[in-house]
Amino acid sequence: MTRALFIVDVQNDFTEGGALGVVGGADVAAGISALLAAHAGDYGAIFASRDWHDEANDNGGHFATDAAPDFVDSWPVHCVAGTIGAEYHPAFDTTAVTFHIRKGQGKPAYSIFEGTGENGETVSQLLTERGVTEIDIVGIATDYCVRASALDALEHGQHVRVLQDLVAGVAAASSVAALAELGHAGAEIVDSAP
């Protein structure tokens, strides 16, 4: 059995001070780097996703350009390709990352499975090619992209663990609800330390 690690959207715009910064984002970035320093060798593949949105359009309605964002389907402009906001947070050491996944690119995208690798590969293809059967998930935001990525991983037939001390959410209540939903769907909700 091969285990992979999904690191979801640890980007400047999703951490403190960013366009959609969440409380605890910088701590999550540093915690993921510590996890990788100690345990990168435990993973057969390490995937890091980033929102990578187009600058010149509303990305399929994902950016609220003509009205106030509803923070459900429409959002303030964030993670525009090539900007500082789209870059990984500086506390996240990407040295051990095997695959960099970009998602969005002109349309709304929450799950890592909606993104592609640097050569256009889908996440599903990369998982299958490497015989991955187990996935640990960390990152931002618990109640949106982490949730969507974990649900898609379960649907893909993976055994999923969400490392609850290495995720940060938009809101406390919706993050608690997301972890409960994932637990009911079959994911294990665990801490990164054994």
Side-chain angles (χ1 to χ4, degrees), residues 5-30:
L5 177 66
F6 282 179
I7 302 167
V8 179
D9 299 0
V10 181
Q11 296 171 261
N12 289 322
D13 269 349
F14 294 141
T15 54
E16 291 86 347
L20 287 171
V22 302
V23 174
D27 288 343
V28 164

Side-chain angles (χ1 to χ4, degrees), residues 1-174:
M1 291 185 285
T2 300
R3 182 181 299 277
L5 177 66
F6 282 179
I7 302 167
V8 179
D9 299 0
V10 181
Q11 296 171 261
N12 289 322
D13 269 349
F14 294 141
T15 54
E16 291 86 347
L20 287 171
V22 302
V23 174
D27 288 343
V28 164
I32 291 169
S33 291
L35 173 73
L36 291 172
H39 297 288
D42 296 348
Y43 296 103
I46 298 171
F47 295 73
S49 69
R50 282 187 286 177
D51 268 12
W52 199 255
H53 295 304
D54 293 346
E55 180 179 19
N57 60 67
D58 70 359
N59 290 273
H62 192 61
F63 286 174
T65 54
D66 298 326
D70 63 17
F71 296 96
V72 175
D73 297 310
S74 64
W75 303 87
V77 173
H78 62 278
C79 299
V80 172
T83 67
I84 294 295
E87 295 305 318
Y88 295 118
H89 188 278
F92 169 32
D93 180 355
T94 63
T95 306
V97 172
T98 316
F99 300 108
H100 296 275
I101 306 298
R102 292 179 176 176
K103 58 190 184 66
Q105 302 181 91
K107 60 186 184 238
Y110 295 90
S111 170
I112 194 172
F113 284 87
E114 296 175 89
T116 56
E118 294 170 292
N119 296 313
E121 320 93 328
T122 68
V123 171
S124 293
Q125 287 171 325
L126 294 169
L127 292 172
T128 301
E129 286 170 6
R130 276 144 195 83
V132 172
T133 56
E134 300 178 351
I135 298 173
D136 288 351
I137 301 180
V138 298
I140 303 169
T142 312
D143 35 356
Y144 289 93
C145 296
V146 169
R147 173 189 170 271
S149 297
L151 288 172
D152 279 354
L154 289 165
E155 189 174 313
H156 190 268
Q158 300 292 327
H159 177 264
V160 174
R161 299 190 312 175
V162 178
L163 308 186
Q164 64 183 343
D165 57 319
L166 295 177
V167 295
V170 172
S174 55

